[in-house]
Amino acid sequence: MGVSALADHVGILQQFVTRFGEIRLFSTSAAVVTYPAPLYNVIGSTDDPKVPGYSSWTSLLQGKGIGVGSDNHCYVDPQVPDRSHPGFQVGGHMTPNQDGSVPATQTCYLMPLCKLHNGKGYNHVAMSHSLTQILELSGYMTGEPAATFLARMGGEAPAALVFADEEGVGFQTLSAEDFVRAKESTITEALGTNAPPRHIVLHRRRDGDSVYYTVEHAQLD
């Protein structure tokens, strides 16, 4: 890890702000569902960061009990070794749409994949899976990093800090006090000298019964 890794991770957040910084961002959820039908790779989704302890799609799957124990392998059938298959190497975003699009409802699915089946060579290919317990994701925006998705999932925190450093892209929630302090001064004033200098702040808002987020602030230089 070093300067180039940091630049790559900051670039992930810069791209996120460029694409989504001026719109309302959905709140998100992840629910375990039974889905037996074949699925297709989502076109334009991102790979997992390969850093333990940071926000990743693999950790989301495992935190929900998927891809652990005897099921710790790529879900695509058949389970015959072929290059990287059947290792569980990434959380693969899946859709019932052959064109690889995420439906207008912003719902897609997540399941353990190897690099082979998560690769472009399997785009538009129907993938059968005898293991049917997978995650249904709501609010996912194609190509967003796991950290920004997880920062908008669950809880009642008024804001979340999504940050980039040499190790990857992660997030932490902000209390109301810290959020106000950060708005009035800086993140360092709110969180102390260990606060990540390169970050974005997502503000949780409500419009009637609808919960959404906006990019309140970005410091990525």
Side-chain angles (χ1 to χ4, degrees):
M1 297 294 179
V3 174
S4 61
L6 174 60
D8 289 344
H9 301 149
V10 171
I12 290 171
L13 291 188
Q14 288 173 329
Q15 184 181 46
F16 179 85
V17 172
T18 298
R19 294 177 63 197
F20 305 120
E22 300 298 324
I23 66 174
R24 290 186 175 189
L25 308 175
F26 296 98
S27 59
T28 63
S29 65
V32 177
V33 298
T34 299
Y35 196 99
L39 288 164
Y40 300 85
N41 278 331
V42 170
I43 306 297
S45 60
T46 55
D47 289 340
D48 264 325
K50 305 301 188 296
V51 182
Y54 274 74
S55 305
S56 71
W57 300 112
T58 54
S59 63
L60 176 58
L61 281 166
Q62 292 170 333
K64 297 287 187 176
I66 296 174
V68 297
S70 62
D71 295 339
N72 184 19
H73 53 78
C74 176
Y75 274 25
V76 178
D77 296 328
Q79 294 296 315
V80 178
D82 180 11
R83 295 171 62 185
S84 68
H85 187 67
F88 173 19
Q89 296 164 318
V90 297
H93 292 89
M94 313 298 290
T95 174
N97 295 341
Q98 187 175 10
D99 65 0
S101 64
V102 176
T105 56
Q106 302 299 307
T107 296
C108 69
Y109 300 90
L110 191 72
M111 71 181 189
L113 289 183
C114 64
K115 290 181 180 178
L116 176 67
H117 286 108
N118 193 53
K120 292 181 179 179
Y122 277 84
N123 288 349
H124 313 296
V125 176
M127 286 184 264
S128 299
H129 51 103
S130 54
L131 292 168
T132 58
Q133 297 296 297
I134 62 176
L135 283 187
E136 183 180 74
L137 305 183
S138 297
Y140 171 71
M141 298 180 296
T142 305
E144 76 166 305
T148 56
F149 179 92
L150 294 171
R152 308 194 314 277
M153 187 172 70
E156 296 293 328
L161 183 75
V162 184
F163 60 87
D165 61 21
E166 290 84 354
E167 301 301 319
V169 179
F171 81 99
Q172 66 183 85
T173 57
L174 295 176
S175 68
E177 180 181 3
D178 287 341
F179 178 52
V180 170
R181 191 180 301 147
K183 286 182 64 175
E184 293 177 347
S185 53
T186 65
I187 286 293
T188 301
E189 286 291 326
L191 302 181
T193 55
N194 291 326
R198 297 169 182 85
H199 60 267
I200 63 176
V201 176
L202 300 178
H203 184 193
R204 187 179 189 273
R205 299 173 179 270
R206 183 177 291 277
D207 183 1
D209 293 331
S210 175
V211 174
Y212 65 96
Y213 288 77
T214 58
V215 177
E216 179 74 21
H217 173 72
Q219 177 60 54
L220 299 172
D221 298 329

